[in-house]
């Protein structure tokens, strides 16, 4: 019997979800950053700055950026880790990874890039000082397995950072839903020529675990000192955990 999961609000087979998520990001890759700026009013850049500050990457660090897409985090981490460090940009989607790789190269950053699945990371145990995933966890089919893999590749004392859309504060729920399900697909059609992909993105946010649930999932994956920071009234949240 084929296992099923969610693709937005639809119930699909796990294999179908992988295929459908890939289609979404193949479609939006070249317009991804423009749409993020429009959708969030540029706030996603502030959320990423906050994440980078919490990462505390230092010269010589080994860093893994999962679902790194267009390379926003990897670009800064590579500069912070310096020539003695090692920063990997990875993504399961080839179109997104190509955009990220090219942007890093255009900035003179020879950072290794790798097409890989976060649920089966091709790295040894206890290898990285930091692992980050920004706006990628909600698209993964087996989030629990992905979190275990992220913990596995961390060194003892290493930190995982998960930046993701989350559950917005109750007073903002109705206007946020109106924006997400009506304005966002309209903008997706106008800017990227793709309303359906942005409708899926809105639905995927609603299906993602809320702040407390994700905190528990990270603890169940074996991470310690798990905490989270609500950003912009919970529109996004940064979760961090340590491997002890």
């Amino acid at each position: 019997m084929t296992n099923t999961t969610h693709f937005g609000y639809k119930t699909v087979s796990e294999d179908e979800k992988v295929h459908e998520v890939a289609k979404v990001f193949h479609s939006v890759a070249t317009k991804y950053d423009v749409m993020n700026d429009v959708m969030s009013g540029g706030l996603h850049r502030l959320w990423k700055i906050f994440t980078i500050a919490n990462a505390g990457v230092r010269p010589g660090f080994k860093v893994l950026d999962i679902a790194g897409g267009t390379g926003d985090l990897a670009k800064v981490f590579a500069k912070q880790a310096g020539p003695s460090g090692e920063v990997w940009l990875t993504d399961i989607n080839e179109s997104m990874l190509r955009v990220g790789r090219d942007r890093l190269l255009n900035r003179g950053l020879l950072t290794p890039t790798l097409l890989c699945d976060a649920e089966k990371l091709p790295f040894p145990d206890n290898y990285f000082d930091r692992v980050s995933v920004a706006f990628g966890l909600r698209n993964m089919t087996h989030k629990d397995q992905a979190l275990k893999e992220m913990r596995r590749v961390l060194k003892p004392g290493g930190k995982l950072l998960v930046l993701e859309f989350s559950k917005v504060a109750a007073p903002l729920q109705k206007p946020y839903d109106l924006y997400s399900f009506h304005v966002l697909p309209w903008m997706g059609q106008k800017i990227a020529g793709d309303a359906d992909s942005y409708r899926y993105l809105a639905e995927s946010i609603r299906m993602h675990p809320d702040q407390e649930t994700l905190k528990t999932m990270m603890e169940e994956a074996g991470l310690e000192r798990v905490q989270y920071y609500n950003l912009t009234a919970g529109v996004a949240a940064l979760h961090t955990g340590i491997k002890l």
Side-chain angles (χ1 to χ4, degrees):
M1 184 180 236
T2 303
N3 292 329
T4 59
T5 186
H6 294 288
F7 175 73
Y9 288 160
K10 294 190 296 183
T11 298
V12 298
S13 70
E14 292 183 351
D15 289 343
E16 188 180 356
K17 175 170 180 173
V18 171
H19 176 69
E20 290 298 323
V21 169
K23 279 172 53 180
V24 167
F25 286 95
H26 285 312
S27 172
V28 304
T30 58
K31 298 286 188 179
Y32 188 73
D33 283 342
V34 173
M35 277 301 298
N36 279 348
D37 281 333
V38 173
M39 286 188 303
S40 70
L43 285 171
H44 77 102
R45 297 184 183 274
L46 298 179
W47 300 335
K48 289 171 182 174
I49 288 170
F50 183 76
T51 301
I52 289 164
N54 271 271
V57 173
R58 299 195 297 272
F61 268 26
K62 293 179 179 177
V63 182
L64 172 62
D65 187 24
I66 294 173
T70 54
D72 286 351
L73 296 186
K75 172 185 66 178
V76 180
F77 290 152
K79 292 177 180 177
Q80 292 175 332
S84 61
E86 185 179 323
V87 177
W88 285 81
L89 172 65
T90 70
D91 204 294
I92 197 171
N93 186 275
E94 185 176 356
S95 297
M96 294 291 290
L97 191 64
R98 285 181 185 276
V99 172
R101 179 203 61 187
D102 290 349
R103 289 187 177 180
L104 290 170
L105 289 173
N106 287 342
R107 290 172 172 81
L109 297 169
L110 301 178
T111 298
T113 58
L114 181 67
L115 190 71
C116 74
D117 185 346
E119 297 175 19
K120 295 172 281 191
L121 293 172
F123 297 102
D125 296 355
N126 308 313
Y127 190 78
F128 292 100
D129 298 283
R130 298 288 185 269
V131 174
S132 64
V133 54
F135 305 114
L137 184 65
R138 76 181 186 283
N139 297 309
M140 297 175 191
T141 303
H142 304 104
K143 297 175 182 63
D144 53 349
Q145 176 60 27
L147 290 169
K148 288 176 182 176
E149 278 290 273
M150 294 175 204
R151 181 193 178 277
R152 178 184 66 79
V153 301
L154 275 171
K155 295 178 181 178
K159 179 188 281 189
L160 170 64
L161 303 104
V162 181
L163 175 63
E164 189 54 87
F165 292 111
S166 200
K167 186 173 178 62
V168 72
L172 296 179
Q173 190 65 61
K174 286 187 178 180
Y176 185 53
D177 284 347
L178 178 66
Y179 172 77
S180 297
F181 293 108
H182 296 280
V183 179
L184 183 56
W186 179 83
M187 289 195 301
Q189 182 63 42
K190 292 296 182 182
I191 297 172
D194 185 351
D196 289 343
S197 291
Y198 286 92
R199 189 172 293 108
Y200 158 72
L201 292 177
E203 292 176 1
S204 71
I205 292 168
R206 302 314 189 279
M207 300 303 295
H208 185 67
D210 64 18
Q211 289 90 328
E212 285 292 333
T213 303
L214 181 54
K215 179 176 183 286
T216 299
M217 290 175 67
M218 290 175 65
E219 291 168 342
E220 290 175 346
L223 291 153
E224 307 283 347
R225 301 178 189 171
V226 179
Q227 57 187 328
Y228 63 84
Y229 308 87
N230 280 320
L231 307 173
T232 316
V235 173
L238 172 65
H239 284 69
T240 64
I242 305 293
K243 178 177 178 177
L244 297 179

